């Protein structure tokens, strides 16, 4: 064979390998996107996460033995022996709770989680009743005056189209039910997608994907995967799980949003980790500081496996803060997110796939 012939064969082989790798990545992105879409389009405001938990259970590998504790947290334990390492994502999303049905038929609300209420005004609403969602609208706080009233104490309501308390109650609406706006998983250009509640459906999906790909033969200690409830209203589920584990766990990895200043109007002096450039380790946030030596180990592990890992600081807290009083080291990992806690959050599916790889290799090797 001539030199040129050898070169042609090598080029052909290279093209085949490249083509195969591309096809595999496209398959992984499609699978991750399908799982994430199902999770996102399932509603679950803090305190009402059961439907989301059921989706997670349906996608666990057949070998995974799961249980639900008294706080509604989902547990999967893999491997045996010390040290115990924990991964935790939360099932809930932000929204509202019906406080009362008013005489004119509208609903007064309380917030479930932290966000900017004006992002929800003048948008469609769903009241989640046992019989299914009842449609309505989040009312603008002033639609006839020369300028809208922006006093937060004025509040705003949900209008389901009725004119009396009795008519609204006849729809099955009662105090204590949860309210959201409708949401849909929408593909943007390339691998970017938008929806509400990527926080923390992406983390929940990453843990499922990691378990689906996990090589259990590599584990030489116990790894606990948790999907917890009521994070947005005070780490309630995580606190229950931390109490159960006590001092047994040595390290916890909250798998949650990295609130990124990657939007076109954001200042770049803080939290400017871009979407599409890989998962992010939180060095510092409002509830935790990752020890530098631990962060270095994480970066080395990611580099060893070809996972591009960004490192940054951001606002917000994480479920790991519930474990630190027990002496557990908090090492948050996540993905960069645009427009956090809004109806139009934006992510890149490549970050989700890479994050799931990072979760897997941490479980198998660290």
């Amino acid at each position: 064979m001539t030199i040129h012939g050898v070169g042609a064969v090598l080029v052909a082989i290279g093209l085949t390998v490249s083509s195969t790798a591309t096809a595999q990545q496209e398959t992984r992105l499609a699978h991750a996107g399908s799982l994430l879409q199902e999770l996102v389009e399932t509603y679950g405001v803090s305190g009402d996460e059961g439907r989301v938990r059921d989706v997670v259970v349906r996608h666990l590998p057949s070998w995974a033995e799961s249980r639900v504790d008294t706080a509604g947290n989902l547990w999967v334990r893999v491997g045996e022996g010390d040290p115990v390492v924990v991964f935790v994502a939360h099932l809930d999303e932000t929204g509202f709770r019906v406080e009362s049905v008013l005489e004119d038929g509208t609903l007064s609300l309380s917030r479930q989680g932290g966000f900017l209420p004006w992002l929800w005004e003048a948008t469609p609403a769903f009241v989640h009743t046992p019989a299914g969602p009842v449609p309505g609208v989040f009312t603008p706080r002033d639609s006839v005056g020369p300028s809208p009233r922006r006093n937060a104490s004025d509040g705003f309501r949900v209008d389901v189209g009725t004119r009396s308390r009795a008519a609204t109650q006849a729809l099955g609406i009662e105090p204590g039910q949860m309210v959201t706006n409708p949401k849909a998983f929408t593909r943007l250009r390339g691998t970017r997608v938008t929806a509400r509640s990527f926080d923390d459906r992406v983390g929940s999906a990453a843990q499922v994907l990691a378990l689906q790909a996990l090589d259990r033969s590599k584990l030489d200690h116990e790894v606990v995967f948790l999907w917890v409830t009521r994070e947005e209203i005070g780490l309630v589920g995580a606190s229950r799980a931390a109490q159960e584990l006590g001092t047994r766990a040595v390290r916890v990895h909250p798998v949650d949003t990295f609130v990124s200043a990657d939007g076109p109007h954001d200042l770049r002096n803080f939290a400017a980790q871009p979407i599409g450039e890989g998962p992010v380790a939180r060095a510092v946030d409002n509830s935790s500081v990752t020890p530098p030596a631990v962060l270095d180990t994480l970066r080395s592990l990611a580099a060893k496996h070809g996972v591009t890992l960004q490192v940054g600081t951001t606002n917000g807290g994480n479920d790991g803060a519930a474990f630190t009083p027990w002496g557990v080291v908090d090492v948050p990992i996540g993905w960069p997110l645009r427009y956090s806690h809004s109806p139009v959050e934006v992510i890149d599916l490549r970050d989700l796939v890479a994050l799931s790889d990072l979760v897997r290799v941490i479980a198998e090797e660290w």
Side-chain angles (χ1 to χ4, degrees):
M1 183 179 291
T2 66
I3 296 297
H4 293 295
V6 172
V9 170
L10 291 175
V11 169
I13 292 173
L15 288 174
T16 300
V17 171
S18 176
S19 177
T20 300
T22 299
Q24 290 174 340
Q25 179 69 352
E26 289 178 351
T27 298
R28 296 190 69 199
L29 288 168
H31 176 57
S34 176
L35 171 61
L36 181 59
Q37 180 170 1
E38 187 176 353
L39 285 166
V40 160
E41 294 184 349
T42 303
Y43 294 88
V45 178
S46 295
D48 187 30
E49 302 95 341
R51 292 180 296 272
V52 186
R53 184 176 58 238
D54 290 344
V55 173
V56 171
V57 171
R58 284 201 301 273
H59 287 277
L60 292 175
S62 58
W63 53 261
E65 296 183 6
S66 64
R67 72 176 178 91
V68 178
D69 66 22
T70 56
N73 301 322
L74 178 67
W75 294 65
V76 173
R77 306 179 89 132
V78 193
E80 296 180 352
D82 293 327
V84 176
V85 175
V86 180
F87 294 94
V88 55
H90 64 88
L91 296 165
D92 58 321
E93 65 191 78
T94 57
F96 294 87
R97 180 180 184 274
V98 176
E99 289 302 311
S100 62
V101 181
L102 303 178
E103 187 62 35
D104 64 359
T106 61
L107 311 176
S108 67
L109 309 171
S110 62
R111 276 193 281 173
Q112 298 293 103
F115 53 91
L116 300 171
W118 57 265
L119 292 172
W120 298 60
E121 290 185 60
T123 67
F126 274 158
V127 184
H128 296 278
T129 75
V134 175
V137 295
F138 290 99
T139 63
R141 280 179 280 179
D142 192 341
S143 60
V144 296
S147 62
R149 290 175 290 138
R150 289 298 178 189
N151 186 343
S153 64
D154 292 337
F156 60 100
R157 305 176 186 174
V158 162
D159 179 357
V160 294
T162 59
R163 297 183 68 92
S164 69
R165 178 182 289 128
T168 297
Q169 291 172 332
L171 297 173
I173 296 174
E174 299 177 355
Q177 293 169 349
M178 302 303 176
V179 184
T180 66
N181 54 16
K183 54 181 178 171
F185 182 91
T186 303
R187 292 186 178 274
L188 304 176
R189 188 169 181 84
T191 52
R192 295 188 176 181
V193 291
T194 183
R196 186 174 60 73
S197 75
F198 282 147
D199 177 10
D200 186 26
R201 302 295 199 272
V202 175
S204 295
Q207 293 192 168
V208 171
L209 294 169
L211 272 173
Q212 290 175 347
L214 187 69
D215 184 349
R216 290 176 288 163
S217 68
K218 294 183 177 180
L219 272 63
D220 60 3
H221 59 87
E222 183 177 5
V223 180
V224 179
F225 288 84
L226 286 165
W227 291 263
V228 298
T229 59
R230 292 174 283 175
E231 187 266 358
E232 300 290 3
I233 58 173
L235 313 186
V236 178
S239 297
R240 165 66 178 78
Q243 183 177 25
E244 178 172 334
L245 285 168
T247 58
R248 284 204 62 212
V250 298
R251 198 174 66 250
V252 59
H253 293 281
V255 186
D256 202 346
T257 304
F258 182 91
V259 178
S260 176
D262 188 40
H265 300 293
D266 294 327
L267 297 175
R268 296 294 194 273
N269 61 333
F270 178 70
Q273 277 57 50
I275 67 174
E277 297 296 328
V280 188
R282 292 194 202 184
V284 179
D285 66 17
N286 295 107
S287 69
S288 69
V289 177
T290 303
V294 176
L295 188 59
D296 288 344
T297 300
L298 178 60
R299 296 177 75 169
S300 296
L301 183 63
K304 173 184 174 182
H305 290 274
V307 177
T308 300
L309 179 66
Q310 304 185 76
V311 177
T313 60
T314 189
N315 285 320
N318 65 77
D319 276 311
F323 292 78
T324 55
W326 298 92
V328 182
V329 178
D330 186 5
V331 189
I333 55 177
W335 70 96
L337 177 72
R338 282 184 181 174
Y339 319 129
S340 177
H341 281 200
S342 83
V344 290
E345 296 174 339
V346 175
I347 67 159
D348 194 304
L349 289 173
R350 293 173 298 176
D351 295 334
L352 166 56
V353 170
L355 177 61
S356 71
D357 289 339
L358 183 62
V359 171
R360 178 182 57 80
V361 299
I362 291 172
E364 290 175 352
E365 298 187 19
W366 189 16

